């Protein structure tokens, strides 16, 4: 199915949705999924961490593990280890293992890979990231993403952008020359989108040039949408949204967070009320929902085409992971 047919199908569904149903699709309805629209056959979008293997299941509105005894997945080498192989084939292979296991666990979006450049050893997310080097990171991330998306699962490249420290990570305003930004910190994201073909991107917690990354006109609109031509879905980091109007009028498509007050998220009831009062145009929501519908079509979530089923914790997966770990050493 080509993009034109997908676009027409998304438009047809969009016209049938109520405002309330559309709002439900652009924010978390559980800790790791959005609301579906059962009457139109639109499923929820199910997400999971992360780069080192599909995360354990949690209760819908609590960070308490479900505690299943039969859901163990393959434990993958961290991205730092993959970068140590300097091997695109290994990166692709590990991405494929992760994608197949995510599908096997019923996920639509796997929140990986992380591609921020390592600047400080104190960054708590360094294990999620590949390297200090933009070229190495971009080359391996692109291959990794292609492996993931082979399995009808969307990779979610993160955290855009310059998320390099833990101290005040929700509020730090990164001061950086644009030349350094474009030569060091952007190339891996560019490669992930343009060469890897990532279907989704996650915004970062920090500010850049005074704007929160998940609401940033510069990052999400000027760079990601306009310069790089990204037409996929942009997802917030969990708790990365801080203002209803900025998020709604910006390029963010889905707001996720760490709390269970799902109807009170910035892009939930507060956005619904602002649209009904005329303060924000409903068209902003339509654009977000169409991109989500297009993602679902790309993943064969809305079509009659057979979607890949996946598998997890198989002997073959364990063998491939061990091979990658050995090469990293």
């Amino acid at each position: 199915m080509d993009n034109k047919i997908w676009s027409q199908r998304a438009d047809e569904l969009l016209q049938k949705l109520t405002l309330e149903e559309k709002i439900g699709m652009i924010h978390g309805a559980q800790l790791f999924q959005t609301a579906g629209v059962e009457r139109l056959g639109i499923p929820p979008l199910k997400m999971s961490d992360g780069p080192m293997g599909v995360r354990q299941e949690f209760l819908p509105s609590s960070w308490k593990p479900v505690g299943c005894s039969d859901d163990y997945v393959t434990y993958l080498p961290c991205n730092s280890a993959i970068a140590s192989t300097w091997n695109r084939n290994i990166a692709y292979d590990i991405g494929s293992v992760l994608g197949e296991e995510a599908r096997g666990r019923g996920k639509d979006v796997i929140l990986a890979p992380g591609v921020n450049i390592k600047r400080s050893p104190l960054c708590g997310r360094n294990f999620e990231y590949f390297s200090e080097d933009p070229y190495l990171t971009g080359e391996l991330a692109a291959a990794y993403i292609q492996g993931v998306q082979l399995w009808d699962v969307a990779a979610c490249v993160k955290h855009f952008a310059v998320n390099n420290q833990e101290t005040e990570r929700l509020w730090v305003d990164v001061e950086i020359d644009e030349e350094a930004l474009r030569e060091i910190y952007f190339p891996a994201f560019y490669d992930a989108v343009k060469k890897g073909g990532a279907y989704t991107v996650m915004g970062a917690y920090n500010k850049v040039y005074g704007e929160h990354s998940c609401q940033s006109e510069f990052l999400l609109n000027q760079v990601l949408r306009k310069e790089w031509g990204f037409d996929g879905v942009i997802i917030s980091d969990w708790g990365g949204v801080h203002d209803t109007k900025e998020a709604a009028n910006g390029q963010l498509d889905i707001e996720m967070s760490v709390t269970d007050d799902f109807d009170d998220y910035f892009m939930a009831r507060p956005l619904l009320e602002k649209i009904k009062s005329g303060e924000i145009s409903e068209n902003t929501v339509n654009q977000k929902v169409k991109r989500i519908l297009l993602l679902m079509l790309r993943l064969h979530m809305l079509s009659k085409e057979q979607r890949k089923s996946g598998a997890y914790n198989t002997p073959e997966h364990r063998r491939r992971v061990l091979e990658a770990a050995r090469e990293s050493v």
Side-chain angles (χ1 to χ4, degrees):
M1 189 181 293
D2 61 30
N3 288 334
K4 184 177 181 181
I5 296 174
W6 278 338
S7 182
Q8 291 173 347
R9 173 71 174 135
D11 285 334
E12 290 169 3
L13 285 169
L14 188 59
Q15 292 173 8
K16 297 176 183 177
L17 288 163
T18 67
L19 174 59
E20 287 77 9
E21 288 169 338
K22 288 183 283 191
I23 291 289
M25 292 177 64
I26 65 171
H27 70 86
Q30 295 183 17
L31 290 176
F32 281 95
Q33 74 177 51
T34 59
V37 184
E38 187 175 356
R39 70 181 185 88
L40 295 177
I42 300 173
L45 197 64
K46 297 181 180 180
M47 307 170 229
S48 180
D49 287 318
M52 288 170 29
V54 186
R55 196 170 186 177
Q56 63 190 15
E57 302 294 344
F58 292 98
L59 295 175
S61 58
S62 168
W63 292 92
K64 183 178 180 180
V66 172
C68 298
S69 61
D70 60 350
D71 65 349
Y72 299 114
V73 298
T74 308
Y75 190 51
L76 278 60
C78 68
N79 285 352
S80 307
I82 295 170
S84 298
T85 71
W86 295 72
N87 189 323
R88 297 178 184 87
N89 294 332
I90 289 287
Y92 179 88
D93 204 36
I94 293 300
S96 177
V97 169
L98 182 59
E100 186 175 4
E101 298 220 345
R103 274 306 305 135
R105 288 282 299 277
K107 308 304 178 185
D108 308 307
V109 180
I110 190 72
L111 306 175
V115 303
N116 277 293
I117 298 303
K118 298 185 183 186
R119 177 183 57 77
S120 166
L122 301 180
C123 178
R125 289 171 159 184
N126 275 345
F127 73 96
E128 295 191 44
Y129 302 147
F130 285 93
S131 172
E132 305 91 336
D133 182 82
Y135 180 73
L136 175 62
T137 299
E139 288 292 303
L140 297 188
Y144 184 104
I145 289 163
Q146 291 166 1
V148 168
Q149 294 184 168
L150 178 68
W151 292 97
D152 293 338
V153 171
C156 185
V157 62
K158 60 187 186 182
H159 308 83
F160 192 58
V162 287
N163 179 196
N164 303 102
Q165 69 180 59
E166 292 301 294
T167 304
E168 291 292 320
R169 70 177 184 171
L170 289 172
W171 300 100
V172 62
D173 191 357
V174 176
E175 297 180 7
I176 185 171
D177 292 337
E178 190 167 339
E179 181 179 11
L181 195 61
R182 292 183 178 276
E183 291 183 0
I184 300 171
Y185 296 94
F186 277 178
F189 285 101
Y190 178 86
D191 288 342
V193 169
K194 302 298 284 187
K195 294 173 67 174
Y199 291 153
T200 71
V201 170
M202 183 188 292
Y205 280 137
N206 52 279
K207 294 180 179 181
V208 178
Y209 301 149
E211 297 179 304
H212 276 288
S213 295
C214 291
Q215 302 162 185
S216 172
E217 168 69 16
F218 171 68
L219 289 177
L220 305 187
N221 191 30
Q222 181 180 323
V223 176
L224 191 54
R225 296 289 191 203
K226 292 182 176 179
E227 292 184 20
W228 299 353
F230 180 68
D231 65 353
V233 171
I234 302 175
I235 303 170
S236 79
D237 202 345
W238 270 233
V241 177
H242 300 271
D243 183 88
T244 296
K245 195 167 185 178
E246 289 184 19
N249 289 332
Q251 294 298 311
L252 184 74
D253 297 308
I254 298 175
E255 177 193 2
M256 301 300 292
S257 194
V258 297
T259 57
D260 62 0
D261 55 339
F262 305 112
D263 290 336
D264 294 324
Y265 284 12
F266 291 98
M267 294 215 304
R269 185 186 294 116
L271 176 54
L272 180 65
E273 293 172 352
K274 287 183 182 297
I275 291 173
K276 288 183 174 180
S277 70
E279 188 176 345
I280 295 175
S281 169
E282 186 174 345
N283 189 51
T284 63
V285 174
N286 291 341
Q287 292 172 352
K288 301 175 193 303
V289 172
K290 182 172 182 179
R291 286 191 287 261
I292 294 167
L293 291 170
L294 286 170
L295 171 65
M296 290 181 170
L297 287 163
R298 285 170 172 157
L299 300 178
H300 304 130
M301 294 173 66
L302 302 176
S303 67
K304 295 179 181 178
E305 295 179 61
Q306 184 66 36
R307 191 179 186 194
K308 293 177 181 176
S309 56
Y312 57 92
N313 198 25
T314 66
E316 174 62 15
H317 287 179
R318 294 194 293 271
R319 183 195 66 77
R320 287 153 67 186
V321 164
L322 179 59
E323 180 182 326
R326 284 173 170 158
E327 185 157 343
S328 76
V329 175

